[in-house]
Amino acid sequence: MSSSVQRKRVRKSPEARRAEIVDTAATVALAEGLECATLRRIAEELDVRPGLISHYFPSAENLVAEAFGTAATHELDALLPADRPDGTPTQYLARYFALSSGDAYDDISRLWINARHLSRYRSVLRDQVAEQELASDERLEGLIRDGIARGEFRTADPHVTAIQILVVLDGLGAHANTDRSNRPEPVLRMAVTLAERELGLPPGTLEREATALPAVLPAAPSRSTAPRADDSPADAPSEPSEPSAPSAPSAPPDPARP
């Protein structure tokens, strides 16, 4: 007579479980879109009951907003770290442009497009989008101010210059879903050209720096998949029991874009 041995389910602390749920939702949103980060889908990914997800996120809107915030924060930290002990501001700016273009950046560009569209109908997501936009503005402005202090950049208004650069990058990223193979090279270089002009850098500086980035500059961290629900250590603190109530109803579909 055959028998099967099931892996022992280990409860996680509320903090660890909540973080796992958000990280998993961010992974799903990045790969498939925010609409796919539903309570039921995240429960399936983590192999838990939907009621456990709704215990931490009674509203799907809050989960979607936090998933976007987590993905956007990871993206910003990968492109432009807050702490930059190695390298010069010019090198970090060159690295920023090198990482924020091409196929590898398309997923996060699509997520921003997705979030800005849905934020028209979802107030919590709209607040999160505004928060992430401000974080990007401040991070890039901080780098520009560092470059000014070290005599590498020259600009009358670092805040305006940062926004100009981000607006051009957003405009180029808005075409992440379309074929860009026939796009002229000057168009692809618009953000770099703008940055060099506004910061007083000789043309070609950032591209030369990008091809000769020193090994001391960190590479962009890879996005990892969140652990499954039964992967926590045996001595993890207990989390609330999984609710036995029926699954939370799915959020109503978003209105179509006019």
Side-chain angles (χ1 to χ4, degrees), residues 139-214:
R139 187 74 60 87
L140 183 55
E141 180 182 345
L143 176 66
I144 293 173
R145 290 188 182 278
D146 288 346
I148 293 172
R150 296 180 60 164
E152 297 181 27
F153 303 152
R154 298 188 308 276
T155 183
D157 194 330
H159 178 64
V160 171
T161 300
I163 293 177
Q164 287 176 319
I165 292 171
L166 290 169
V167 166
V168 174
L169 285 174
D170 281 346
L172 294 172
H175 297 271
N177 292 323
T178 57
D179 180 15
R180 293 159 292 173
S181 58
N182 62 347
R183 183 170 289 177
E185 184 65 24
V187 174
L188 297 175
R189 295 189 69 259
M190 281 178 65
V192 172
T193 301
L194 170 71
E196 289 174 340
R197 184 182 70 239
E198 295 299 318
L199 297 175
L201 296 172
T205 297
L206 294 175
E207 288 184 340
R208 286 194 298 272
E209 291 287 349
T211 59
L213 288 175

Side-chain angles (χ1 to χ4, degrees), residues 7-82:
R7 293 183 62 183
K8 181 181 179 181
R9 179 84 52 143
V10 179
R11 291 181 177 176
K12 296 188 174 183
S13 70
E15 295 78 10
R17 177 69 78 187
R18 192 180 193 283
E20 178 187 57
I21 291 170
V22 173
D23 286 344
T24 301
T27 300
V28 170
L30 194 62
E32 303 174 32
L34 290 166
E35 297 91 340
C36 295
T38 63
L39 302 181
R40 185 174 296 279
R41 173 62 187 282
I42 304 310
E44 291 174 353
E45 289 290 320
L46 294 176
D47 193 24
V48 298
R49 297 173 185 168
L52 179 61
I53 308 302
S54 62
H55 173 82
Y56 291 94
F57 292 94
S59 168
E61 182 177 359
N62 290 329
L63 176 58
V64 166
E66 211 164 316
F68 168 72
T70 295
T73 297
H74 289 169
E75 170 229 3
L76 180 59
D77 289 340
L79 294 178
L80 193 54

Side-chain angles (χ1 to χ4, degrees), residues 214-230:
V216 295
L217 288 185
S222 59
R223 300 185 181 97
S224 60
T225 302
R228 297 193 67 81
D230 53 0

